[in-house]
């Protein structure tokens, strides 16, 4: 990993983002259903598990920083908290269980390395995005604009001066394959224009592009970006 990062740093003009390498806090003890039940029936066990996960994650982060910290600008971490409606476990329970571990992780992260924190979290996370910013998140991805309270306009107004948005340009849930070039171009262009205001935007679609996406959708998305390039 160190050799690859050094090569990219020294021989390209790319900004380097390391993938989702630190995964400890994503682990679900007992599987998805049991760990959800544990949050309500045995929250003290869940908190102890997460405290140990933070320790493990910070230990990994020290090794990553030693290897690639001087070459890498951004390190990604993932935890999908939302569905299309809201935070899956509810914002109150999220704060009770997850806010302190993530605060401890991200504050410890900033003491160890200069690599920026890019959190991937799908769905509607508007109700906890302020909490994640409090914890220390620098960048949020994928900016799922089709989810409740996640329109480009709303999140930019509410949080645009506090965090970088990575994504949000083309949300495949909003576009059937029958949408025209012009329809896609207008929506993507509108999202870019909103999210790029005063900086703090990295152009990207939302999630991976589906395999049946029409070619003209890709062309419309890239043309919209080309017409709205940041200077």
């Amino acid at each position: 990993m160190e050799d690859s990062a050094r090569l990219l740093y020294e021989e390209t003009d790319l900004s380097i983002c390391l993938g989702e390498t630190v995964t400890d806090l994503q682990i679900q003890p007992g599987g998805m259903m049991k760990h959800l039940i544990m949050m309500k029936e045995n929250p003290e066990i869940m908190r102890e598990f997460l405290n140990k996960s933070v320790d493990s994650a910070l230990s990994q982060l020290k090794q990553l920083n030693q290897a690639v910290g001087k070459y890498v600008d951004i390190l990604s971490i993932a935890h999908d908290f939302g569905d299309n409606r809201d935070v899956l476990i509810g914002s109150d329970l999220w704060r009770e269980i997850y806010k302190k571990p993530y605060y401890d992780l991200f504050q410890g992260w900033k003491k160890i390395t200069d690599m920026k924190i890019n959190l991937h979290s799908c769905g509607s996370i508007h109700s906890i995005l302020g909490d994640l910013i409090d914890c220390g998140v620098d960048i949020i991805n994928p900016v799922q604009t089709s989810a409740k309270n996640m329109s480009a306009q709303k999140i930019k107004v509410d949080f645009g001066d506090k965090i970088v948005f990575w994504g949000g340009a083309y949300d495949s849930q909003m576009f059937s394959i029958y949408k025209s070039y012009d329809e896609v171009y207008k929506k993507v262009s509108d999202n870019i224009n909103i999210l790029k205001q005063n900086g703090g935007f990295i152009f990207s679609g939302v999630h991976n592009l589906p395999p049946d996406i029409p070619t003209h959708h890709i062309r419309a998305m890239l043309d919209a970006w080309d017409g709205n390039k940041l200077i």
Side-chain angles (χ1 to χ4, degrees), residues 34-186:
K34 287 186 177 179
H35 109 277
L36 290 172
I37 293 169
M38 188 184 299
M39 291 184 202
K40 295 296 290 183
E41 293 189 345
N42 301 105
E44 68 284 353
I45 295 177
M46 190 68 191
R47 290 192 192 96
E48 181 63 21
F49 177 85
L50 289 172
N51 287 339
K52 293 183 182 298
S53 296
V54 170
D55 291 341
S56 176
L58 291 175
S59 177
Q60 290 182 67
L61 188 58
K62 290 177 182 176
Q63 296 181 59
L64 283 171
N65 184 61
Q66 184 178 10
V68 302
K70 55 185 172 291
Y71 306 122
V72 172
D73 299 300
I74 301 168
L75 174 59
S76 295
I77 187 170
H79 204 153
D80 288 335
F81 289 120
D83 59 22
N84 282 352
R85 303 161 299 173
D86 203 343
V87 175
L88 183 63
I89 62 173
S91 55
D92 290 340
L93 184 58
W94 184 91
R95 293 184 188 102
E96 180 184 340
I97 298 295
Y98 279 109
K99 185 166 183 177
K100 185 179 185 302
Y102 270 102
Y103 179 86
D104 292 343
L105 172 62
F106 293 150
Q107 294 305 307
W109 181 316
K110 291 177 183 292
K111 292 177 182 177
I112 292 170
T113 181
D114 291 329
M115 291 185 285
K116 299 298 184 183
I117 302 166
N118 172 40
L119 174 66
H120 170 94
S121 194
C122 299
S124 175
I125 57 169
H126 182 278
S127 62
I128 61 168
L129 191 49
D131 297 283
L132 289 166
I133 292 168
D134 291 343
C135 291
V137 171
D138 299 303
I139 306 165
I140 193 72
N141 167 272
V143 193
Q144 189 177 330
T145 52
S146 60
K148 183 179 178 182
N149 292 325
M150 291 293 291
S151 70
Q153 181 68 36
K154 183 166 183 56
I155 59 172
K156 187 65 177 183
V157 168
D158 292 346
F159 305 109
D161 60 339
K162 303 178 181 70
I163 196 167
V164 172
F165 297 113
W166 185 342
Y170 176 97
D171 192 330
S172 59
Q173 289 196 30
M174 301 175 70
F175 295 111
S176 76
I177 62 173
Y178 304 106
K179 290 287 185 181
S180 69
Y181 171 96
D182 290 340
E183 290 174 301
V184 174
Y185 181 94
K186 184 180 187 310

